[in-house]
Amino acid sequence: MKNPYRFACVLALIAAGCTTMSDQDVSDKAVAVMKTSFNERGQAKLDRLDQDEAQKLCSIPPSAVLPKEVAARIEEINLATVKYPADGKLLGNWRDGERVAQSGIGMQYSDDPKVPAGANCYACHQLTQEEISFGTIGPSLYNFGKIRGNSEAIQRYAYGKIYNPQAYTACSNMPRFGHKQILTEQQIKDVTALLMDPNSPVNK
Amino acid sequence: MKVQLHKAVGGVLAACAALAAFPVGVTAQSAVDEIAKYRQQLQDGNPAELWEARGEDLWKQKRGPKSVSLERCDLGKGAGVVKGAYAELPKYFSDADRVMDLETRLVHCMVTQQGFTTADATKRTFGAGSNRSDIEALTAWITSESKGVRMNVALNHAKEKEAYRLGEKIFYFRGGSHDFACATCHSETGKRIRLQDLPNLTEKAGAQLAYTTWPAYRVSQGELRTFQWRLNDCFRQQRFPELQFGSEASVALTSFLAFNANGAPFNAPAIKR
């Protein structure tokens, strides 16, 4: 080294300039910090912290506007995951659907993995009129089928929306019940029936 | 058999009578209002005081292999200064070269001053009945010494600024089986989950209301719960793995939320449902 003092000066200048991390650097560091701040417990393994493309792109404030192409891409990727029942029947039993809608357990490390998960619909939505303990994070689903009619197209939309809400709304707050294997096919049919069946209390 | 039948019928009749007493035409909003009244009534006679009393004793007691009290522990306002300390946390501590919230700072003092191992100091972070947590009790007392003091978290040191920015990013981190982030429930005003109102933690009013009322005696838990507990339990419900006590993510999130709450008088230990 020709002049050690000159090298030290250069280093000091670089250090002084590097006081603020770029937004991307902070994002990358946040992901790294998340990975070292959790322990696996029960059924919740560390792979729960691995983000897929939608999760990465959707880790933004509600005020942030996703470019149209990015939103479209997320919806395209997620629409491709939707699997409709092989027997073509999209409506199950609305009484069982109401039980699934009321249950808030499943997938937590405090939950028994052998017990079926619920969808916890009432956490975020109004559904029947009878149930007044409902949340407002999502829109009211009261009269869902009555308003939209019972066509096959609407049935496919309702089923698909429960299976993977991001097929229709990129970055939706709603969990992807089918794609992430939270609910079984039968459970999704039952919740679809809760929304669509003319005899369901949702449509009374 | 006949006696059992009478008892069963009696039970059903009693239940019907109780239901009949419930006003007709109850709406979701009126239920929310009634619950708010119930919460107001809870404020009188807070069991948190039991934790505060035990915490004050633990602070002054000579404990650990070095048989020393915590009265020389520096919570950021000088060794042994407890009054107003919580309102300025988290902050950067040069002796540990990291940003610390109250709970990580307590563990630091228990280890460096009292000689506990980290494992012993964090053996029981959240109490369960007779299995009591010393950290919870200490937190209850230390936070009570900031009651009425305006939240005043500074972001001066580079690591304090970084902790805030990391906390903000983590707040929006979507993951797990349900794609939940903190933001899923806490980034819009006027929402609720079932009948539980959700504070918008990204805005001053919501952050102030939420942050200044932890720790709290949580009636449904029968325990005093701290902010580290609150974060831990949120992540459990988000279907994430378990948040490590005092982890960098927990301190970063606390920095983000505490700073957002600046200006409001601290009002804990409180009592919650």
Side-chain angles (χ1 to χ4, degrees):
Chain A
M1 191 156 310
K2 266 212 322 229
N3 186 344
Y5 293 108
R6 188 173 149 169
F7 181 66
C9 274
V10 169
L11 274 182
L13 274 172
I14 294 171
C18 288
T19 44
T20 323
M21 288 169 77
S22 74
D23 190 70
Q24 188 57 53
D25 287 342
V26 181
S27 289
D28 292 344
K29 183 155 185 193
V31 171
V33 165
M34 283 298 276
K35 301 225 157 126
T36 58
S37 293
F38 288 81
N39 293 327
E40 71 170 41
R41 183 167 164 180
Q43 60 175 293
K45 309 298 182 205
L46 289 180
D47 62 0
R48 296 245 177 132
L49 299 173
D50 295 337
Q51 294 176 300
D52 67 12
E53 194 161 355
Q55 289 171 332
K56 280 189 197 131
L57 291 166
C58 298
S59 293
I60 52 176
S63 55
V65 179
L66 269 184
K68 275 206 178 109
E69 341 57 90
V70 177
R73 195 172 129 68
I74 291 172
E75 286 161 18
E76 194 188 325
I77 293 171
N78 283 283
L79 187 59
T81 70
V82 180
K83 291 181 185 56
Y84 288 98
D87 66 0
K89 279 189 68 209
L90 302 186
L91 265 48
N93 179 324
W94 66 257
R95 280 194 179 83
D96 292 335
E98 172 69 3
R99 271 190 280 275
V100 173
Q102 288 278 7
S103 168
I105 57 163
M107 312 293 273
Q108 297 165 118
Y109 57 70
S110 49
D111 289 322
D112 180 352
K114 292 195 279 316
V115 176
N120 209 9
C121 308
Y122 283 104
C124 300
H125 294 284
Q126 179 181 35
L127 287 113
T128 67
Q129 267 213 308
E130 289 78 15
E131 182 55 81
I132 62 164
S133 176
F134 62 85
T136 56
I137 297 171
S140 170
L141 302 176
Y142 178 61
N143 277 351
F144 184 91
K146 191 169 176 184
I147 293 167
R148 292 165 179 77
N150 220 340
S151 67
E152 195 191 324
I154 298 293
Q155 286 188 24
R156 280 179 76 83
Y157 164 70
Y159 189 96
K161 184 79 179 173
I162 298 164
Y163 195 100
N164 192 330
Q166 295 205 38
Y168 305 95
T169 310
C171 302
S172 170
N173 278 328
M174 180 165 150
R176 298 176 279 176
F177 293 104
H179 174 54
K180 299 286 264 179
Q181 299 178 301
I182 300 167
L183 298 179
T184 63
E185 182 179 273
Q186 186 57 52
Q187 287 179 309
I188 299 176
K189 286 186 185 193
D190 293 335
V191 177
T192 307
L194 180 67
L195 295 173
M196 298 295 306
D197 191 327
N199 293 323
S200 161
V202 166
N203 294 316
K204 299 269 168 169
Chain B
M1 183 63 170
K2 227 174 168 181
V3 173
Q4 282 173 338
L5 190 60
H6 280 153
K7 276 190 179 162
V9 168
V12 169
L13 282 174
C16 285
L19 278 173
F22 201 65
V24 171
V26 172
T27 62
Q29 189 51 51
S30 62
V32 169
D33 294 338
E34 284 304 308
I35 290 171
K37 280 189 201 161
Y38 159 75
R39 291 205 177 100
Q40 231 357 82
Q41 287 163 3
L42 280 181
Q43 302 307 318
D44 231 353
N46 186 348
E49 290 167 15
L50 296 168
W51 275 257
E52 291 169 34
R54 194 164 81 84
E56 186 174 6
D57 285 344
L58 287 167
W59 179 262
K60 295 174 176 168
Q61 219 178 83
K62 288 183 163 67
R63 299 199 316 143
K66 293 188 184 168
S67 194
V68 151
S69 83
L70 284 167
E71 288 161 302
R72 299 303 299 158
C73 181
D74 186 349
L75 298 172
K77 290 175 75 72
V81 178
V82 181
K83 264 241 167 326
Y86 192 76
E88 295 179 13
L89 291 169
K91 67 166 51 159
Y92 173 79
F93 289 88
S94 53
D95 59 4
D97 191 28
R98 63 182 278 226
V99 176
M100 297 174 131
D101 69 348
L102 172 63
E103 290 168 84
T104 49
R105 190 63 188 167
L106 273 175
V107 171
H108 176 87
C109 286
M110 288 167 78
V111 168
T112 57
Q113 295 184 349
Q114 295 182 310
F116 287 107
T117 61
T118 307
D120 276 341
T122 56
K123 192 170 47 196
R124 180 157 294 284
T125 52
F126 309 134
S130 53
N131 289 327
R132 301 188 299 183
S133 161
D134 293 340
I135 291 181
E136 265 176 3
L138 283 160
T139 300
W141 179 63
I142 294 166
T143 54
S144 77
E145 292 284 296
S146 278
K147 206 171 233 195
V149 179
R150 287 195 185 275
M151 286 301 304
N152 182 23
V153 175
L155 299 181
N156 293 328
H157 193 277
K159 287 197 172 181
E160 286 167 350
K161 294 192 226 265
E162 188 190 49
Y164 182 88
R165 292 179 76 192
L166 283 173
E168 186 174 30
K169 290 289 182 188
I170 290 169
F171 188 85
Y172 293 112
F173 181 99
R174 295 194 65 177
S177 54
H178 286 48
D179 308 324
F180 288 159
C182 310
T184 308
C185 289
H186 289 294
S187 63
E188 287 187 73
T189 304
K191 301 288 184 181
R192 61 173 200 252
I193 182 168
R194 284 279 189 168
L195 291 181
Q196 170 68 64
D197 286 331
L198 293 166
N200 181 348
L201 300 176
T202 64
E203 293 199 336
K204 195 150 259 317
Q208 288 178 331
L209 180 64
Y211 193 78
T212 59
T213 54
W214 287 99
Y217 179 79
R218 194 80 187 289
V219 173
S220 51
Q221 294 267 306
E223 301 284 347
L224 178 119
R225 290 308 189 205
T226 64
F227 205 69
Q228 280 278 338
W229 177 87
R230 179 63 270 177
L231 295 174
N232 178 297
D233 211 50
C234 276
F235 281 117
R236 177 183 65 84
Q237 293 171 296
Q238 283 167 247
R239 278 70 179 173
F240 281 41
E242 186 172 27
L243 180 69
Q244 290 169 15
F245 186 84
S247 54
E248 194 175 350
S250 71
V251 176
L253 271 171
T254 305
S255 294
F256 173 63
L257 298 169
F259 180 82
N260 286 357
N262 269 356
F266 186 67
N267 201 15
I271 179 165
K272 291 174 188 274
R273 64 168 176 85

